[in-house]
Amino acid sequence: MEARRQPARIHRFRPALITQTDDALPEYMNLIGMICSMCALMLKIKWCAWIALFAAIVGFANARATEDTKQVLSSLMLSISAVVITYMQNPTPMTIPFFQ
Amino acid sequence: MRSSMTILFILFNLLSYFTWSVAKKIKDEDFSEFDDFDEDEFVVEPPYSPGANQLSSKTQSNKPEVAKVDDSFQSLSSKSADIKVNDEVTIDDEDDDLMFDEEEFETSDGYSSSSPATSTIPDLKITEIPANLTSNHWEAYHCEAIMLLLLLGYLINFLLGRSKNARLADIVYRSQRDLLERNFCLVGDNGQTRTTQSADDSTVNDSTTNKMQKESESLYILWCSGRTAIESMLMEVRLAKRQCLFNSLAAMIKSSNDMLIYTADYSKEDMETFVFCLAKKHCAAKLHRDMNDLSQFCSERKTSDKRGLNNGNYQILSEIGEVSSAIIDNRVVDFIEKYPDVLEYIHISDQYTGMKIQNDTQQSSPNTTPNAGSTAQQQDASNTSERSVRHVLIIAFNLVARNSRSLEITTETVGSDYLRFVLQLIDRVNSFRFTLKESKNKAIKNRQRIEEQFLKNVYQQRQEQAQQRREEKRRAEKEKIMQSDDPERQRKWEEKEHKREMKRRQPKMKQMKVKAM
């Protein structure tokens, strides 16, 4: 077994060799998060702000290690600020338009 | 870093909760007229200043006004005897005249008569009532409560799922570490350190440290190199996304397994030229459709008739006939019989270029000319006449719980068996050579055909790009000429263009030169 080891045949790792998969969930969640945050801030829609928060958290959970953490963090901060500002502007409880 | 981020997130959550509760305390002046008044909250304020007087008188006047208007506040009129108005308060509001009309306001007489006597009148203090306690109670925020509970549930699931995945990956590594160390010189490399761990003498090579790299919460990789027969082997532990609650719920509908994928890269001389795949039925269809090499070289899917594989579970895609019997030997069949449903697929190819959708991105991979400066050059360089093919052996296993034991215990016991099977197959592929001459000829013919197709595509693309560039240049020229405002130049340019069009429309005549005798 030891005869199998060959120091001469050592090659360094290249990230391009990882099998590519079609997983674009973090990007979608990022996009949804940003759109919903903007909607919530400008149109003062509370449920949009909550959806933005969820999208940011799902994006954070599914993010790859190679991805920029600043991007994920900024998305999270934006959604939290959307929730806080929407409630400061209008402290009344949220109403979901589809159910009322 | 992820744990610090989660702590950060929890802190921000708390901060937002406090900000939200503070926001509730902001008095909403628009709705103050609908506020519920309680007698105990009304105490007369002494006049501090004229400005303050105005404000206090206004608010005082507003409240009795509302009391008069709203029938529901009938109790207030009976309790108005308790309201003591300070005579020294200056009234500037016009509406106040109505208020303090002695005929309407019943108790004003009593007050005016008693006012000289009572010099020490308690002041009206209007306490600020938080908006949510007047009109909305906490029960009204049930949607927010549900959202917060969902959020909390997601976070808890994230932490639990992440730790379970990490534990599984660690078990896989520990079960295979010894065998890997005995077979490879380099186990674990991230490609970024200047020297590899095996060459670095200064650090203690601690065999208990986990050298796996975490690519995401559900993907762990391990790079191994320095062995005969192959250049490198990449082990990927692709686990189910337990850290995401929505993925876990989706997994209940469409089941997804934890997988262990080994990708061994050969050099050109180490491997014979063939494309072969043994896969489970549903997987075989998907691979045949998505993989470039399998769709180009393997025409049909066949069900194997070998023992152990004849229950129809597995299908074979093979370019050359003799390869199937050579690769699927007794060892493979024994493994499948011992661990049914574990082997997902075996994909062996010397023309591996990845999946069809990603072919465009793979064409611009590192097969470019060294001096690619401008964009046009780079574009050309991406369409080089060399396809970036890899010689690979890919084996995928499902990590499933067996014999009613937990997944962790099963993985621990069978981890080294899987690796042993992989290493045996690596050596088998390395030592296999065609016995029949026609197999070799068929392989060469197929590859020539695909190469020609590829070159034709590249040539076509280059033509299109050149055509586009020419069009753009002409358009730019035209713009320049039109903007120059010189009719002479415009006319000349248009003539030139016209001549060019006529020349292009004419069929190309071949000229034959007759040699004079």
Side-chain angles (χ1 to χ4, degrees):
Chain A
M1 271 292 194
E2 293 289 343
R4 298 278 183 217
R5 300 173 95 230
Q6 286 256 343
R9 296 197 74 165
I10 288 179
H11 296 267
R12 297 300 302 272
F13 169 68
R14 281 184 290 129
L17 293 173
I18 300 174
T19 320
Q20 305 286 335
T21 43
D22 282 340
D23 185 29
L25 187 65
E27 279 81 29
Y28 285 139
M29 286 295 127
N30 216 10
L31 192 67
I32 290 170
M34 281 204 258
I35 291 172
C36 284
S37 302
M38 287 295 116
C39 280
L41 284 168
M42 288 191 262
L43 305 175
K44 301 180 190 176
I45 306 171
K46 289 197 173 91
W47 54 265
C48 253
W50 285 106
I51 288 173
L53 189 60
F54 269 104
I57 288 168
V58 172
F60 162 74
N62 288 291
R64 290 164 216 118
T66 46
E67 254 176 41
D68 202 6
T69 48
K70 285 197 283 273
Q71 173 86 351
V72 172
L73 211 58
S74 71
S75 179
L76 210 59
M77 293 298 116
L78 183 65
S79 56
I80 290 172
S81 68
V83 171
V84 167
I85 289 169
T86 319
Y87 274 94
M88 281 178 76
Q89 286 171 342
N90 182 11
T92 54
M94 171 168 69
T95 54
I96 301 172
F98 315 110
F99 295 136
Q100 266 125 36
Chain B
M1 200 185 19
R2 291 260 178 257
S3 55
S4 61
M5 279 180 74
T6 44
I7 291 167
L8 213 66
F9 173 73
I10 291 166
L11 282 172
F12 272 110
N13 224 1
L14 286 168
L15 183 71
S16 66
Y17 171 74
F18 284 127
T19 321
W20 178 59
S21 57
V22 160
K24 293 292 169 286
K25 288 178 189 156
I26 295 168
K27 186 180 174 184
D28 196 351
E29 303 238 333
D30 291 338
F31 297 103
S32 59
E33 48 201 82
F34 300 113
D35 282 351
D36 221 348
F37 297 115
D38 207 331
E39 50 169 334
D40 296 329
E41 290 157 0
F42 279 97
V43 179
V44 176
E45 271 180 356
Y48 300 112
S49 65
N53 274 343
Q54 271 188 2
L55 192 65
S56 57
S57 66
K58 251 196 178 165
T59 48
Q60 284 173 29
S61 65
N62 274 340
K63 296 211 167 25
E65 208 175 14
V66 168
K68 256 184 27 181
V69 169
D70 198 345
D71 290 336
S72 60
F73 298 122
Q74 280 171 7
S75 56
L76 199 69
S77 54
S78 62
K79 291 170 189 165
S80 58
D82 297 327
I83 299 168
K84 287 153 193 160
V85 181
N86 197 339
D87 275 342
E88 291 174 26
V89 170
T90 55
I91 298 155
D92 289 329
D93 201 355
E94 283 179 350
D95 292 338
D96 291 348
D97 294 335
L98 290 167
M99 296 304 299
F100 293 91
D101 188 357
E102 306 232 345
E103 291 167 56
E104 288 188 12
F105 203 63
E106 288 176 329
T107 57
S108 60
D109 286 333
Y111 285 118
S112 55
S113 60
S114 63
S115 59
T118 56
S119 52
T120 55
I121 302 161
D123 300 329
L124 264 173
K125 254 188 230 156
I126 296 157
T127 322
E128 291 203 355
I129 306 158
N132 64 317
L133 294 180
T134 54
S135 47
N136 300 312
H137 299 283
W138 289 110
E139 292 93 59
Y141 291 96
H142 51 268
C143 285
E144 280 81 357
I146 292 167
M147 290 291 194
L148 284 171
L149 281 171
L150 271 174
L151 213 64
L152 213 64
Y154 188 92
L155 279 174
I156 291 168
N157 176 263
F158 169 77
L159 294 169
L160 291 173
R162 185 172 73 147
S163 64
K164 181 153 189 204
N165 276 354
R167 218 176 26 244
L168 259 176
D170 192 50
I171 288 169
V172 166
Y173 174 71
R174 278 191 289 112
S175 65
Q176 303 186 350
R177 182 189 54 219
D178 289 334
L179 195 54
L180 285 170
E181 298 276 354
R182 276 185 280 150
N183 274 277
F184 293 93
C185 278
L186 171 65
V187 175
D189 181 32
N190 60 6
Q192 283 162 10
T193 52
R194 255 188 317 137
T195 54
T196 62
Q197 281 174 359
S198 60
D200 198 355
D201 293 324
S202 57
T203 58
V204 175
N205 209 359
D206 188 4
S207 56
T208 55
T209 52
N210 192 337
K211 293 176 189 166
M212 290 192 102
Q213 245 179 281
K214 184 162 126 174
E215 284 296 308
S216 83
E217 304 294 347
S218 56
L219 173 61
Y220 291 80
I221 60 168
L222 184 68
W223 177 258
C224 307
S225 188
R227 188 188 189 270
T228 54
I230 54 172
E231 291 193 338
S232 62
M233 185 179 81
L234 179 69
M235 183 170 89
E236 294 169 320
V237 187
R238 286 185 182 269
L239 302 162
K241 289 193 177 184
R242 291 184 179 82
Q243 79 275 11
C244 181
L245 189 63
F246 303 121
N247 269 102
S248 313
L249 293 171
M252 289 184 195
I253 307 163
K254 184 185 125 185
S255 66
S256 67
N257 280 328
D258 299 317
M259 295 193 73
L260 191 52
I261 303 175
Y262 295 88
T263 308
D265 270 87
Y266 291 86
S267 68
K268 207 168 168 191
E269 301 80 33
D270 288 333
M271 193 176 138
E272 189 57 275
T273 55
F274 63 90
V275 174
F276 171 82
C277 180
L278 169 75
K280 280 205 175 150
K281 235 180 184 168
H282 62 274
C283 200
K286 208 160 57 100
L287 288 170
H288 197 193
R289 188 188 61 226
D290 293 337
M291 290 292 173
N292 257 328
D293 51 352
L294 291 174
S295 58
Q296 283 170 348
F297 291 91
C298 305
S299 48
E300 51 171 7
R301 297 198 306 269
K302 285 186 286 193
T303 316
S304 168
D305 50 1
K306 282 219 163 190
R307 66 165 179 103
L309 305 178
N310 58 1
N311 53 2
N313 244 352
Y314 287 92
Q315 285 188 331
I316 293 176
L317 291 102
S318 181
E319 183 197 1
I320 313 285
E322 71 167 296
V323 168
S324 322
S325 42
I327 298 294
I328 309 177
D329 53 5
N330 287 329
R331 272 187 295 208
V332 174
V333 173
D334 288 341
F335 181 85
I336 293 174
E337 276 184 347
K338 187 176 176 192
Y339 300 109
D341 292 335
V342 161
L343 184 65
E344 185 71 12
Y345 64 84
I346 298 175
H347 182 185
I348 311 173
S349 172
D350 75 313
Q351 300 282 311
Y352 183 76
T353 46
M355 291 173 73
K356 269 188 186 159
I357 323 142
Q358 285 138 15
N359 206 20
D360 297 329
T361 51
Q362 284 213 351
Q363 271 195 349
S364 52
S365 66
N367 244 1
T368 57
T369 57
N371 301 322
S374 68
T375 351
Q377 272 182 345
Q378 273 176 352
Q379 239 177 351
D380 277 342
S382 70
N383 300 326
T384 53
S385 48
E386 258 188 63
R387 291 156 65 223
S388 54
V389 294
R390 284 166 64 191
H391 308 262
V392 295
L393 159 68
I394 307 174
I395 307 179
F397 298 102
N398 289 317
L399 291 172
V400 287
R402 290 173 73 227
N403 299 337
S404 69
R405 291 157 140 189
S406 79
L407 185 57
E408 281 96 334
I409 295 174
T410 313
T411 312
E412 208 167 348
T413 43
V414 303
S416 52
D417 282 350
Y418 295 174
L419 182 60
R420 218 166 281 125
F421 175 74
V422 169
L423 294 170
Q424 282 168 0
L425 204 55
I426 283 173
D427 292 331
R428 180 83 190 94
V429 168
N430 175 244
S431 60
F432 170 74
R433 293 288 178 272
F434 288 134
T435 49
L436 304 169
K437 205 174 172 184
E438 59 193 41
S439 308
K440 187 75 193 171
N441 291 337
K442 188 177 175 191
I444 292 171
K445 213 169 67 175
N446 284 341
R447 273 143 195 76
Q448 271 177 357
R449 175 175 55 92
I450 298 296
E451 191 71 28
E452 273 169 18
Q453 257 178 29
F454 174 75
L455 286 172
K456 215 164 71 175
N457 278 340
V458 165
Y459 179 68
Q460 238 177 13
Q461 272 181 10
R462 280 206 183 134
Q463 290 277 64
E464 275 171 26
Q465 278 169 8
Q467 175 78 5
Q468 263 179 356
R469 257 180 274 145
R470 255 180 275 144
E471 286 285 334
E472 271 178 35
K473 215 168 70 176
R474 211 165 288 155
R475 217 176 297 143
E477 245 184 64
K478 190 175 179 184
E479 285 281 327
K480 216 172 71 175
I481 298 287
M482 291 304 177
Q483 280 171 9
S484 68
D485 287 339
D486 188 1
E488 190 59 38
R489 268 176 81 181
Q490 278 183 15
R491 197 177 52 82
K492 272 192 193 154
W493 187 84
E494 272 175 20
E495 263 178 33
K496 215 168 60 177
E497 273 298 303
H498 184 70
K499 266 190 205 156
R500 221 180 283 169
E501 280 289 325
M502 292 303 288
K503 196 175 166 193
R504 216 186 316 151
R505 289 220 188 105
Q506 251 181 20
K508 289 198 172 117
M509 307 277 244
K510 281 197 177 168
Q511 287 183 341
M512 272 176 43
K513 285 192 181 148
V514 179
K515 228 181 176 175
M517 295 279 249

